[in-house]
Amino acid sequence: MISRKDLSETLKMALHDGMVIPAHPLALTSERKLSEKHQRALTRYYIAAGSGGIAVGVHSTQFAIRDQGVNLFEPVLRLAAEEVAHAQLDRPFLKIAGICGPTEQALAETEIAVGLGYDIGIVSMAGLEDWTEEDHLLRIQAIAERIPVFGFYMQPLVGGRVFSYDFWERFAAIDGVIAIKIAPFNRYHSMDVVRAVCHSPRRDEIALYTGNDDNIVSDLLTKYRFNVNGQMVEKRIVGGLLGHWSVWTKKAVELLEQIKRDREGTNISTDWLTRTVEVTETNAAFFDPSNNFAGCIPGTHEVLRRQGLLPGIWCLDPQETLSKGQSEEIDRMYRDYPHLNDDEFVEQHLQEWLAD
């Protein structure tokens, strides 16, 4: 039995202050084998860009890394952990492991993550369609006994499901739940999570992060306020754990820092409304909502390929590729919103990140 190792106070404070946490992609060769060189380069990029952590083994890393015959779950977690250790950072940096599957599988993945020194497990609730909400809560409770848990409300179009307000109230009550990624791509469902956490006696122990790639800036600027037993309780979504932030990461870090400064003021500039649209439109090009997100992983791969951080856009599934017109949409993002890309930063450091 593994006893849970809780976050240090330094890491806990950084988590609650708000971080940019990219969802780490998978670097493959043309033979669809792991490119260790590029996998390490990506981690080095995220560290150098100033991110507050990385999430490995999540949707962006491709759930199929767990499949028999692929068996890349442990290798990709290990490579990322080695790069973080090698960086010898003098700032807080979170290693977050994606955890999937039924309870037995999820606990086995948890043990691998703990053994590799990961700080948190972000737990997917996808692929368990016949499970009741009670089943999910029992699974989360079992995982939280072994590693601090980052909850994950995933949108239905990519494998998630809708959960009730009562579910999130009970979820927030679980000892060991320290954060929740809100990513249903739905304002009503997002508010369910924030309201449930605000009503929880553990509300100050749980950090809220956006995964709503269609509403990143607005999520981060908004102060939520609810009447809890006659008292007004306020809470913010403090940072993001996003596949969108696996690209142009340096600019994402700058964006969050600017938001942190501005959201504490009394008057927030209406320019932020324009920036909300710009970021959402770039996400549409990367994530391919016009085709029910079929190209969401290849889309981010294409940006990283153009920058030289990936050798190609290959996914484990040969059928998973860019949708028709998606490359042209990415071209348009480069043309219309040049201030959002970090190509210059990547070009300056690419060779050192690719070095052995």
Side-chain angles (χ1 to χ4, degrees):
M1 173 71 71
I2 300 172
S3 59
R4 185 179 71 228
K5 180 182 178 183
D6 290 323
L7 293 186
S8 68
E9 285 303 313
T10 300
L11 286 176
K12 194 179 299 183
M13 288 176 61
L15 177 69
H16 282 264
D17 183 59
M19 295 174 160
V20 166
I21 304 176
H24 205 304
L26 179 68
L28 296 177
T29 67
S30 58
E31 292 79 28
R32 303 185 197 280
K33 302 296 184 182
L34 178 65
S35 173
E36 182 174 322
K37 174 182 179 179
H38 290 89
Q39 193 72 20
R40 290 185 183 276
L42 284 173
T43 306
R44 294 169 184 175
Y45 162 52
Y46 299 134
I47 292 170
S51 69
I54 45 174
V56 189
V58 292
H59 179 251
S60 295
T61 326
Q62 302 176 51
F63 290 141
I65 58 174
R66 299 159 170 84
D67 290 354
Q68 189 174 6
V70 178
N71 300 322
L72 287 177
F73 179 76
E74 189 276 342
V76 296
L77 262 67
R78 176 174 44 79
L79 289 175
E82 288 175 358
E83 288 304 319
V84 174
H86 180 73
Q88 296 184 315
L89 296 170
D90 59 358
R91 60 182 174 86
F93 193 90
L94 287 168
K95 299 189 296 295
I96 302 173
I99 295 171
C100 296
T103 305
E104 184 177 357
Q105 175 188 333
L107 291 176
E109 293 184 3
T110 298
E111 291 192 19
I112 292 172
V114 171
L116 291 170
Y118 276 72
D119 305 295
I120 303 172
I122 180 165
V123 184
S124 170
M125 294 183 284
L128 305 168
E129 293 85 358
D130 58 338
W131 282 38
T132 66
E133 291 189 345
E134 182 69 26
D135 293 334
H136 279 283
L137 291 167
L138 290 172
R139 172 174 170 266
I140 293 295
Q141 191 166 4
I143 297 167
E145 291 174 358
R146 291 153 169 79
I147 194 169
V149 164
F150 212 122
F152 183 10
Y153 198 173
M154 178 187 281
Q155 63 149 323
L157 279 175
V158 292
R161 59 173 280 188
V162 175
F163 289 94
S164 68
Y165 171 80
D166 178 68
F167 172 84
W168 290 111
E169 269 201 321
R170 296 175 65 193
F171 192 102
I174 296 172
D175 180 48
V177 170
I178 61 169
I180 300 174
K181 171 180 173 173
I182 305 171
F185 284 42
N186 180 294
R187 302 289 79 75
Y188 302 116
H189 299 153
S190 295
M191 283 189 291
D192 279 345
V193 180
V194 184
R195 185 164 66 94
V197 171
C198 283
H199 278 78
S200 171
R202 299 188 66 251
R203 58 179 168 264
D204 294 334
E205 301 173 50
I206 298 174
L208 297 179
Y209 274 65
T210 185
N212 286 320
D213 301 79
D214 63 340
N215 201 53
I216 296 169
V217 174
S218 293
D219 273 358
L220 293 169
L221 285 169
T222 302
K223 180 185 289 184
Y224 292 83
R225 183 181 295 122
F226 298 99
N227 187 321
V228 179
N229 299 323
Q231 294 187 335
M232 300 309 296
V233 172
E234 296 179 344
K235 198 159 182 74
R236 289 191 182 278
I237 296 173
V238 294
L241 196 164
L242 294 153
H244 181 96
W245 281 354
S246 69
V247 301
W248 298 356
T249 309
K250 183 75 162 59
K251 290 302 180 74
V253 171
E254 294 172 5
L255 176 76
L256 180 59
E257 290 308 310
Q258 187 178 356
I259 287 173
K260 285 182 181 180
R261 291 191 297 270
D262 287 8
R263 70 187 178 191
E264 297 305 325
T266 55
N267 295 301
I268 296 177
S269 171
T270 55
D271 289 344
W272 280 116
L273 298 175
T274 302
R275 180 61 62 87
T276 295
V277 174
E278 292 176 349
V279 172
T280 299
E281 191 170 29
T282 57
N283 181 260
F286 303 157
F287 271 48
D288 196 30
S290 298
N291 296 287
N292 289 331
F293 303 93
C296 64
I297 293 177
T300 53
H301 284 193
E302 172 62 11
V303 178
L304 296 168
R305 183 200 64 79
R306 294 183 186 199
Q307 293 181 314
L309 284 159
L310 283 181
I313 67 168
W314 305 291
C315 296
L316 290 170
D317 180 355
Q319 302 303 313
E320 198 165 359
T321 188
L322 292 174
S323 293
K324 183 179 179 180
Q326 193 175 358
S327 181
E328 290 77 10
E329 279 297 282
I330 294 172
D331 290 340
R332 187 169 68 84
M333 296 307 101
Y334 268 100
R335 184 190 71 232
D336 292 356
Y337 307 121
H339 53 289
L340 296 183
N341 78 67
D342 65 356
D343 285 23
E344 184 177 345
F345 169 71
V346 173
E347 184 178 6
Q348 290 172 353
H349 298 281
L350 182 61
Q351 294 312 311
E352 67 187 77
W353 296 335
L354 289 170
D356 294 334

